[in-house]
Coordinates of all heavy atoms in Angstrom, one line a residue:
M1 N 68.8 86.0 118.8 CA 70.0 85.3 118.3 C 69.8 83.8 118.4 O 69.3 83.3 119.5 CB 71.2 85.7 119.0 CG 72.5 85.0 118.7 SD 73.8 85.7 117.7 CE 73.7 87.4 117.8
T2 N 70.1 83.0 117.4 CA 70.0 81.6 117.4 C 71.4 81.0 117.5 O 72.3 81.5 116.9 CB 69.3 81.1 116.1 OG1 68.0 81.7 116.1 CG2 69.2 79.6 116.1
Y3 N 71.6 79.9 118.2 CA 72.9 79.3 118.3 C 72.9 78.0 117.5 O 71.9 77.3 117.4 CB 73.2 79.0 119.8 CG 73.4 80.3 120.5 CD1 72.4 80.9 121.1 CD2 74.7 80.9 120.5 CE1 72.6 82.1 121.8 CE2 74.9 82.1 121.2 CZ 73.9 82.7 121.8 OH 74.1 83.9 122.4
L4 N 74.0 77.7 117.0 CA 74.2 76.5 116.1 C 75.6 75.9 116.5 O 76.6 76.6 116.5 CB 74.2 76.8 114.7 CG 74.5 75.8 113.6 CD1 73.4 74.7 113.6 CD2 74.7 76.4 112.3
T5 N 75.6 74.6 116.8 CA 76.8 73.9 117.1 C 77.2 73.1 115.9 O 76.4 72.3 115.4 CB 76.6 73.0 118.4 OG1 76.2 73.8 119.5 CG2 77.9 72.3 118.7
I6 N 78.5 73.3 115.5 CA 78.9 72.5 114.3 C 80.3 71.9 114.6 O 81.0 72.3 115.5 CB 79.1 73.4 113.1 CG1 80.0 74.5 113.3 CG2 77.7 73.9 112.6 CD1 80.4 75.4 112.1
A7 N 80.5 70.8 113.9 CA 81.8 70.1 114.1 C 82.6 70.4 112.8 O 82.1 70.3 111.7 CB 81.6 68.6 114.2
L8 N 83.9 70.8 113.0 CA 84.7 71.2 111.9 C 86.0 70.4 111.9 O 86.5 70.1 113.0 CB 85.1 72.7 111.9 CG 84.0 73.7 111.9 CD1 84.5 75.1 112.2 CD2 83.3 73.7 110.5
P9 N 86.6 70.1 110.7 CA 87.9 69.5 110.7 C 88.9 70.5 111.3 O 88.7 71.7 111.2 CB 88.2 69.2 109.2 CG 86.8 69.3 108.6 CD 86.0 70.2 109.4
E10 N 89.9 70.0 111.9 CA 90.9 70.8 112.6 C 91.5 71.9 111.6 O 91.7 73.0 112.0 CB 92.0 70.0 113.2 CG 93.0 70.7 114.1 CD 92.2 71.2 115.4 OE1 91.3 70.6 115.9 OE2 92.6 72.3 115.8
A11 N 91.7 71.4 110.4 CA 92.3 72.4 109.4 C 91.4 73.5 109.1 O 91.8 74.7 108.9 CB 92.6 71.6 108.1
V12 N 90.1 73.3 109.1 CA 89.1 74.4 108.9 C 89.1 75.3 110.1 O 89.1 76.5 109.9 CB 87.7 73.8 108.6 CG1 86.7 74.9 108.5 CG2 87.7 73.0 107.3
K13 N 89.1 74.8 111.3 CA 89.1 75.6 112.5 C 90.4 76.4 112.5 O 90.4 77.6 112.8 CB 89.0 74.8 113.7 CG 89.0 75.6 115.0 CD 89.0 74.8 116.2 CE 88.9 75.7 117.5 NZ 89.8 76.8 117.5
D14 N 91.5 75.8 112.1 CA 92.8 76.6 112.1 C 92.7 77.7 111.1 O 93.2 78.8 111.3 CB 93.9 75.7 111.7 CG 94.3 74.7 112.8 OD1 93.8 74.9 114.0 OD2 95.0 73.7 112.5
Y15 N 92.1 77.5 109.9 CA 91.9 78.5 108.9 C 91.1 79.7 109.5 O 91.4 80.8 109.3 CB 91.3 77.9 107.6 CG 91.1 79.0 106.6 CD1 92.1 79.5 105.8 CD2 89.8 79.5 106.4 CE1 91.9 80.4 104.8 CE2 89.6 80.5 105.5 CZ 90.6 81.0 104.7 OH 90.4 81.9 103.7
I16 N 90.0 79.4 110.1 CA 89.1 80.4 110.7 C 89.9 81.2 111.7 O 89.8 82.4 111.8 CB 87.8 79.8 111.3 CG1 87.0 79.2 110.2 CG2 87.1 80.8 112.1 CD1 85.8 78.4 110.6
D17 N 90.6 80.5 112.6 CA 91.5 81.1 113.6 C 92.5 82.1 113.0 O 92.7 83.2 113.5 CB 92.2 80.1 114.5 CG 91.2 79.4 115.4 OD1 90.1 79.8 115.6 OD2 91.6 78.3 115.9
R18 N 93.1 81.7 111.8 CA 94.0 82.6 111.2 C 93.3 83.8 110.6 O 93.9 84.9 110.6 CB 94.8 81.8 110.1 CG 95.8 80.8 110.6 CD 96.7 80.3 109.4 NE 96.0 79.8 108.3 CZ 95.6 78.5 108.2 NH1 95.8 77.7 109.2 NH2 95.0 78.1 107.1
Q19 N 92.1 83.6 110.1 CA 91.4 84.8 109.6 C 91.1 85.8 110.7 O 91.2 87.0 110.5 CB 90.1 84.3 108.9 CG 90.2 83.5 107.7 CD 91.0 84.2 106.6 OE1 90.6 85.3 106.2 NE2 92.1 83.6 106.2
I20 N 90.8 85.3 111.9 CA 90.5 86.1 113.0 C 91.8 86.8 113.5 O 91.9 88.0 113.7 CB 89.8 85.3 114.1 CG1 88.4 84.9 113.7 CG2 89.7 86.2 115.4 CD1 87.8 83.8 114.5
S21 N 92.9 86.0 113.6 CA 94.2 86.6 114.0 C 94.7 87.7 113.1 O 95.3 88.6 113.5 CB 95.2 85.5 114.1 OG 94.9 84.5 115.1
S22 N 94.4 87.5 111.8 CA 94.9 88.5 110.8 C 94.0 89.8 110.8 O 94.4 90.8 110.2 CB 94.8 87.9 109.4 OG 93.4 87.8 108.9
G23 N 92.9 89.7 111.6 CA 92.1 90.9 111.7 C 91.0 91.0 110.6 O 90.3 92.0 110.5
T24 N 91.0 90.0 109.7 CA 90.0 90.0 108.6 C 88.6 90.0 109.2 O 87.7 90.6 108.7 CB 90.2 88.9 107.6 OG1 91.6 89.0 107.2 CG2 89.3 88.9 106.5
Y25 N 88.4 89.1 110.2 CA 87.2 89.0 111.0 C 87.5 89.1 112.4 O 88.6 88.7 112.9 CB 86.5 87.6 110.6 CG 86.2 87.5 109.2 CD1 87.1 86.8 108.3 CD2 85.1 88.0 108.6 CE1 86.8 86.7 106.9 CE2 84.8 87.9 107.3 CZ 85.7 87.2 106.4 OH 85.4 87.1 105.1
S26 N 86.5 89.5 113.2 CA 86.7 89.6 114.6 C 86.3 88.4 115.5 O 86.8 88.2 116.5 CB 86.1 90.9 115.2 OG 84.7 90.8 114.9
T27 N 85.4 87.6 114.9 CA 84.9 86.4 115.6 C 84.6 85.3 114.6 O 84.4 85.6 113.4 CB 83.6 86.7 116.4 OG1 82.6 87.0 115.5 CG2 83.8 87.8 117.4
P28 N 84.6 84.1 115.1 CA 84.1 83.0 114.2 C 82.7 83.2 113.6 O 82.4 82.9 112.5 CB 84.2 81.7 115.0 CG 85.2 82.0 116.1 CD 85.0 83.5 116.4
D29 N 81.8 83.8 114.5 CA 80.5 84.1 114.0 C 80.5 85.0 112.8 O 79.8 84.9 111.9 CB 79.7 84.8 115.2 CG 79.5 83.9 116.4 OD1 80.0 82.7 116.4 OD2 78.9 84.3 117.3
E30 N 81.3 86.1 112.9 CA 81.4 87.1 111.8 C 81.9 86.4 110.5 O 81.4 86.6 109.5 CB 82.3 88.2 112.2 CG 82.4 89.3 111.2 CD 83.4 90.4 111.7 OE1 83.4 90.8 112.8 OE2 84.1 90.9 110.8
F31 N 82.9 85.5 110.7 CA 83.4 84.8 109.5 C 82.4 83.9 108.9 O 82.2 84.0 107.6 CB 84.6 83.9 110.0 CG 85.2 83.1 108.9 CD1 86.0 83.6 107.9 CD2 84.9 81.7 108.8 CE1 86.6 82.8 106.9 CE2 85.4 81.0 107.7 CZ 86.2 81.5 106.8
L32 N 81.7 83.1 109.7 CA 80.7 82.2 109.1 C 79.5 83.0 108.5 O 78.9 82.6 107.5 CB 80.2 81.2 110.2 CG 81.3 80.2 110.6 CD1 80.8 79.4 111.7 CD2 81.7 79.3 109.4
T33 N 79.1 84.1 109.2 CA 78.0 84.9 108.6 C 78.4 85.5 107.3 O 77.6 85.5 106.3 CB 77.7 86.1 109.6 OG1 77.2 85.5 110.8 CG2 76.6 87.0 109.1
A34 N 79.7 85.9 107.2 CA 80.1 86.5 105.9 C 80.1 85.4 104.8 O 79.7 85.6 103.6 CB 81.6 87.0 106.0
L35 N 80.5 84.1 105.2 CA 80.4 83.0 104.2 C 79.0 82.8 103.7 O 78.7 82.6 102.5 CB 81.0 81.8 104.8 CG 82.5 81.7 104.9 CD1 82.9 80.3 105.5 CD2 83.1 81.8 103.6
V36 N 78.0 82.8 104.7 CA 76.6 82.6 104.3 C 76.1 83.7 103.4 O 75.5 83.4 102.4 CB 75.8 82.4 105.6 CG1 74.3 82.4 105.2 CG2 76.1 81.2 106.3
E37 N 76.5 84.9 103.7 CA 76.0 86.0 102.9 C 76.6 85.9 101.5 O 76.0 86.2 100.5 CB 76.4 87.4 103.6 CG 75.6 87.7 104.8 CD 76.1 88.8 105.6 OE1 77.2 89.3 105.4 OE2 75.4 89.2 106.5
Q38 N 77.9 85.5 101.4 CA 78.5 85.4 100.1 C 77.8 84.3 99.3 O 77.6 84.4 98.1 CB 80.0 85.0 100.2 CG 80.9 86.1 100.7 CD 82.3 85.7 101.1 OE1 82.7 84.6 100.8 NE2 83.0 86.6 101.7
E39 N 77.4 83.2 100.0 CA 76.7 82.1 99.3 C 75.4 82.6 98.8 O 74.9 82.3 97.7 CB 76.6 80.9 100.2 CG 75.8 79.7 99.6 CD 76.3 79.2 98.3 OE1 77.5 79.5 97.9 OE2 75.6 78.4 97.6
Q40 N 74.7 83.3 99.6 CA 73.4 83.9 99.2 C 73.5 84.8 98.0 O 72.7 84.7 97.1 CB 72.7 84.6 100.4 CG 72.2 83.7 101.5 CD 71.7 84.4 102.7 OE1 72.1 85.5 103.0 NE2 70.7 83.8 103.3
E41 N 74.5 85.6 98.0 CA 74.8 86.5 96.9 C 75.1 85.7 95.6 O 74.6 86.0 94.5 CB 75.9 87.5 97.2 CG 76.1 88.5 96.1 CD 77.2 89.5 96.4 OE1 77.4 89.8 97.6 OE2 77.8 90.1 95.5
R42 N 75.9 84.6 95.8 CA 76.3 83.8 94.6 C 75.0 83.1 94.0 O 74.8 83.1 92.8 CB 77.3 82.7 95.1 CG 77.8 81.8 93.9 CD 78.5 80.6 94.4 NE 77.6 79.7 95.0 CZ 76.7 78.9 94.4 NH1 76.6 78.9 93.1 NH2 75.9 78.0 95.0
Q43 N 74.1 82.6 94.9 CA 72.9 82.0 94.5 C 72.0 83.0 93.8 O 71.4 82.7 92.7 CB 72.2 81.4 95.6 CG 72.8 80.1 96.1 CD 72.1 79.5 97.3 OE1 71.0 79.8 97.6 NE2 72.7 78.5 97.9
A44 N 71.9 84.2 94.3 CA 71.1 85.3 93.7 C 71.7 85.6 92.3 O 70.9 85.7 91.3 CB 71.1 86.5 94.5
K45 N 73.0 85.7 92.1 CA 73.6 86.0 90.8 C 73.3 84.9 89.9 O 73.1 85.1 88.7 CB 75.1 86.3 91.0 CG 75.4 87.6 91.6 CD 76.9 87.8 91.8 CE 77.3 89.1 92.4 NZ 78.7 89.3 92.6
Q46 N 73.4 83.7 90.4 CA 73.1 82.5 89.5 C 71.7 82.5 89.0 O 71.4 82.3 87.9 CB 73.4 81.2 90.3 CG 73.2 80.0 89.5 CD 73.5 78.7 90.4 OE1 73.3 78.7 91.6 NE2 74.1 77.7 89.8
K47 N 70.7 82.9 89.9 CA 69.3 83.0 89.4 C 69.2 84.1 88.4 O 68.4 83.9 87.4 CB 68.4 83.3 90.6 CG 68.3 82.1 91.5 CD 67.4 82.4 92.7 CE 67.3 81.1 93.6 NZ 66.4 81.3 94.7
V48 N 69.9 85.2 88.5 CA 69.8 86.3 87.5 C 70.4 85.8 86.2 O 69.8 86.0 85.2 CB 70.6 87.5 88.0 CG1 70.8 88.5 86.8 CG2 69.8 88.2 89.1
N49 N 71.5 85.0 86.3 CA 72.1 84.5 85.0 C 71.1 83.5 84.4 O 71.0 83.5 83.1 CB 73.4 83.8 85.4 CG 74.5 84.8 85.6 OD1 74.4 85.9 85.1 ND2 75.5 84.4 86.3
V50 N 70.5 82.7 85.1 CA 69.5 81.7 84.6 C 68.4 82.5 83.9 O 67.9 82.2 82.8 CB 69.0 80.8 85.7 CG1 67.7 80.0 85.2 CG2 70.0 79.8 86.1
L51 N 67.9 83.5 84.6 CA 66.8 84.3 84.0 C 67.2 85.0 82.7 O 66.5 85.0 81.7 CB 66.4 85.4 85.0 CG 65.3 86.4 84.6 CD1 64.0 85.7 84.3 CD2 65.1 87.5 85.6
L52 N 68.4 85.6 82.7 CA 68.9 86.2 81.5 C 69.1 85.3 80.4 O 68.8 85.5 79.2 CB 70.2 87.0 81.8 CG 70.1 88.2 82.7 CD1 71.4 88.8 83.1 CD2 69.2 89.3 82.0
K53 N 69.7 84.1 80.7 CA 69.9 83.1 79.6 C 68.6 82.6 79.1 O 68.5 82.4 77.9 CB 70.7 81.9 80.2 CG 72.2 82.2 80.4 CD 73.0 81.0 81.0 CE 74.4 81.4 81.2 NZ 75.1 80.3 81.8
S54 N 67.6 82.4 80.0 CA 66.3 82.0 79.5 C 65.7 83.0 78.6 O 65.1 82.7 77.6 CB 65.4 81.8 80.7 OG 64.0 81.6 80.3
T55 N 65.8 84.3 78.9 CA 65.3 85.4 78.1 C 66.0 85.4 76.8 O 65.4 85.5 75.7 CB 65.4 86.7 78.8 OG1 64.7 86.7 80.1 CG2 64.9 87.9 78.0
L56 N 67.3 85.3 76.8 CA 68.1 85.3 75.5 C 67.8 84.1 74.7 O 67.7 84.2 73.5 CB 69.6 85.4 75.8 CG 70.1 86.7 76.5 CD1 71.5 86.6 76.9 CD2 69.9 87.8 75.5
G57 N 67.5 82.9 75.3 CA 67.2 81.7 74.6 C 65.9 81.8 73.9 O 65.7 81.1 72.9
K58 N 65.0 82.6 74.3 CA 63.7 82.8 73.7 C 63.8 83.9 72.6 O 62.7 84.2 72.0 CB 62.7 83.2 74.7 CG 62.4 82.1 75.7 CD 61.5 82.5 76.8 CE 61.3 81.4 77.8 NZ 60.5 81.9 79.0
N59 N 65.0 84.4 72.4 CA 65.1 85.5 71.4 C 64.2 86.6 71.7 O 63.6 87.2 70.7 CB 65.0 85.0 70.0 CG 66.1 84.1 69.5 OD1 67.2 84.3 70.0 ND2 65.8 83.1 68.7
R60 N 64.0 86.9 72.9 CA 63.1 88.0 73.3 C 63.9 89.1 73.9 O 64.8 88.8 74.6 CB 62.0 87.4 74.1 CG 61.5 88.0 75.2 CD 60.5 87.2 76.0 NE 61.0 87.3 77.4 CZ 60.3 86.9 78.4 NH1 59.2 86.2 78.3 NH2 60.8 87.0 79.6
T61 N 63.5 90.3 73.6 CA 64.3 91.4 74.2 C 63.6 92.0 75.4 O 62.4 92.0 75.4 CB 64.4 92.6 73.2 OG1 64.2 92.1 71.8 CG2 65.7 93.2 73.2
V62 N 64.4 92.3 76.4 CA 63.8 92.9 77.6 C 64.5 94.3 77.8 O 65.8 94.3 77.7 CB 64.0 92.0 78.8 CG1 63.6 92.7 80.1 CG2 63.3 90.7 78.6
E63 N 63.8 95.3 78.0 CA 64.4 96.6 78.3 C 64.6 96.6 79.8 O 63.7 96.5 80.6 CB 63.4 97.7 77.9 CG 64.1 99.1 78.2 CD 63.1 100.2 77.7 OE1 62.1 100.0 77.1 OE2 63.5 101.4 78.0
A64 N 65.9 96.7 80.1 CA 66.4 96.6 81.5 C 66.2 98.0 82.2 O 67.2 98.7 82.4 CB 67.8 96.1 81.6
T65 N 65.0 98.4 82.5 CA 64.7 99.7 83.1 C 65.0 99.5 84.6 O 65.2 98.4 85.1 CB 63.3 100.1 82.9 OG1 62.4 99.1 83.5 CG2 63.0 100.2 81.4
D66 N 65.0 100.6 85.3 CA 65.1 100.6 86.8 C 64.0 99.8 87.4 O 64.2 99.0 88.3 CB 65.1 102.0 87.4 CG 66.4 102.8 87.1 OD1 67.4 102.2 86.7 OD2 66.3 104.0 87.2
E67 N 62.8 99.9 86.8 CA 61.7 99.1 87.4 C 61.9 97.6 87.1 O 61.6 96.8 88.0 CB 60.4 99.6 86.7 CG 59.2 98.8 87.2 CD 57.9 99.3 86.5 OE1 57.5 100.4 86.7 OE2 57.4 98.5 85.6
W68 N 62.4 97.2 86.0 CA 62.7 95.8 85.7 C 63.7 95.3 86.7 O 63.5 94.2 87.2 CB 63.2 95.7 84.2 CG 63.4 94.2 83.8 CD1 62.5 93.4 83.4 CD2 64.6 93.5 83.9 NE1 63.0 92.2 83.1 CE2 64.4 92.2 83.4 CE3 65.9 93.9 84.3 CZ2 65.4 91.3 83.3 CZ3 66.9 92.9 84.2 CH2 66.6 91.6 83.7
W69 N 64.8 96.0 86.9 CA 65.8 95.6 87.8 C 65.2 95.4 89.2 O 65.5 94.5 90.0 CB 67.0 96.5 87.8 CG 67.9 96.2 86.7 CD1 68.1 97.0 85.6 CD2 68.7 95.1 86.4 NE1 69.0 96.5 84.7 CE2 69.4 95.2 85.2 CE3 68.9 93.9 87.1 CZ2 70.2 94.3 84.7 CZ3 69.8 92.9 86.6 CH2 70.4 93.1 85.4
Q70 N 64.4 96.4 89.6 CA 63.8 96.3 91.0 C 62.9 95.1 91.1 O 62.9 94.4 92.1 CB 62.9 97.6 91.2 CG 62.3 97.6 92.6 CD 63.3 97.5 93.7 OE1 64.5 98.0 93.6 NE2 63.0 96.9 94.8
Q71 N 62.1 94.7 90.0 CA 61.3 93.5 90.0 C 62.2 92.3 90.2 O 61.9 91.4 90.9 CB 60.5 93.5 88.8 CG 59.3 94.5 88.7 CD 58.6 94.4 87.4 OE1 59.1 93.8 86.4 NE2 57.5 95.1 87.3
Q72 N 63.3 92.2 89.4 CA 64.2 91.1 89.5 C 64.8 91.0 90.9 O 64.9 89.9 91.4 CB 65.3 91.2 88.4 CG 64.8 91.3 87.0 CD 63.7 90.3 86.6 OE1 63.9 89.1 86.9 NE2 62.6 90.8 86.1
R73 N 65.2 92.1 91.4 CA 65.8 92.1 92.8 C 64.8 91.6 93.8 O 65.1 90.7 94.6 CB 66.2 93.5 93.1 CG 66.9 93.6 94.5 CD 67.3 95.1 94.7 NE 68.1 95.2 95.9 CZ 67.5 95.3 97.1 NH1 66.2 95.3 97.3 NH2 68.3 95.4 98.2
Q74 N 63.5 92.0 93.7 CA 62.5 91.6 94.6 C 62.2 90.1 94.5 O 62.0 89.4 95.5 CB 61.2 92.4 94.4 CG 60.2 92.2 95.6 CD 60.8 92.6 96.9 OE1 61.3 93.7 97.1 NE2 60.7 91.7 97.9
Q75 N 62.2 89.6 93.3 CA 62.0 88.2 93.1 C 63.1 87.4 93.7 O 62.8 86.3 94.3 CB 61.9 87.9 91.6 CG 60.6 88.3 90.9 CD 60.6 88.0 89.4 OE1 61.5 87.5 88.9 NE2 59.5 88.3 88.8
L76 N 64.3 87.8 93.6 CA 65.4 87.1 94.2 C 65.4 87.2 95.7 O 65.6 86.2 96.4 CB 66.8 87.7 93.7 CG 67.1 87.5 92.3 CD1 68.3 88.3 91.8 CD2 67.4 86.0 92.0
I77 N 65.0 88.4 96.2 CA 64.9 88.5 97.7 C 63.8 87.5 98.2 O 64.0 86.8 99.2 CB 64.6 89.9 98.1 CG1 65.8 90.8 97.9 CG2 64.1 90.1 99.5 CD1 65.6 92.3 98.0
D78 N 62.7 87.5 97.5 CA 61.6 86.6 97.9 C 61.9 85.2 97.8 O 61.4 84.4 98.6 CB 60.3 86.9 97.0 CG 59.7 88.3 97.2 OD1 60.1 88.9 98.2 OD2 59.0 88.7 96.4
S79 N 62.9 84.8 97.0 CA 63.3 83.4 96.8 C 64.3 82.9 97.8 O 64.5 81.8 98.0 CB 63.7 83.1 95.4 OG 65.0 83.7 95.2
L80 N 65.0 83.9 98.5 CA 66.0 83.5 99.5 C 65.4 83.1 100.8 O 64.3 83.6 101.2 CB 66.9 84.7 99.7 CG 67.8 85.2 98.6 CD1 68.6 86.4 98.9 CD2 68.8 84.1 98.2
P81 N 66.1 82.2 101.5 CA 65.6 81.8 102.8 C 65.6 83.0 103.8 O 66.5 83.9 103.6 CB 66.5 80.7 103.3 CG 67.7 80.9 102.4 CD 67.3 81.6 101.2
P82 N 64.7 83.1 104.7 CA 64.7 84.2 105.7 C 65.9 84.3 106.5 O 66.5 83.3 106.8 CB 63.5 83.9 106.6 CG 63.0 82.6 106.2 CD 63.7 82.1 105.0
Q83 N 66.4 85.5 106.8 CA 67.6 85.7 107.6 C 67.1 86.0 109.0 O 66.1 86.7 109.2 CB 68.4 86.9 107.1 CG 69.0 86.6 105.7 CD 69.9 87.7 105.3 OE1 69.9 88.8 105.8 NE2 70.8 87.4 104.3
S84 N 67.9 85.6 110.0 CA 67.6 85.9 111.4 C 68.1 87.2 111.8 O 69.1 87.7 111.4 CB 68.1 84.9 112.3 OG 68.3 83.6 111.8

């Protein structure tokens, strides 16, 4: 496990505390981890959209087979920063 110290505005800390109090998350670590995972997923989706738009822009057709999706998924995974 790696530790990171961050400074937050009071309003942000209050928001995180409310999320924990509501039971949505059990710890600040869990909350921040969820945010990072959501951002990684957003970036992955954005890369897929760029790839699809690029393909469509070339007026080229791609058969979206299971193998094709697996290749796209692997390319996205390879492009993400390593997780601890």
Side-chain angles (χ1 to χ4, degrees):
M1 171 108 24
T2 301
Y3 292 90
L4 174 69
T5 303
I6 59 172
L8 299 172
E10 192 65 34
V12 173
K13 183 183 180 315
D14 291 344
Y15 178 78
I16 293 170
D17 290 342
R18 286 193 308 274
Q19 295 300 305
I20 294 164
S21 295
S22 73
T24 306
Y25 299 96
S26 57
T27 65
D29 297 359
E30 185 181 318
F31 176 79
L32 293 173
T33 298
L35 284 181
V36 170
E37 289 169 350
Q38 289 171 11
E39 176 60 13
Q40 289 175 327
E41 184 175 336
R42 185 195 66 77
Q43 288 179 11
K45 287 178 180 179
Q46 185 178 32
K47 287 179 183 185
V48 167
N49 285 335
V50 167
L51 177 64
L52 291 173
K53 286 179 184 177
S54 170
T55 300
L56 292 173
K58 294 176 184 173
N59 288 329
R60 139 184 132 172
T61 338
V62 173
E63 184 177 351
T65 62
D66 289 342
E67 182 180 290
W68 183 85
W69 280 111
Q70 182 59 33
Q71 288 173 349
Q72 302 313 307
R73 182 178 186 279
Q74 191 60 51
Q75 285 178 1
L76 290 171
I77 289 169
D78 293 345
S79 71
L80 293 174
Q83 294 183 343
S84 330

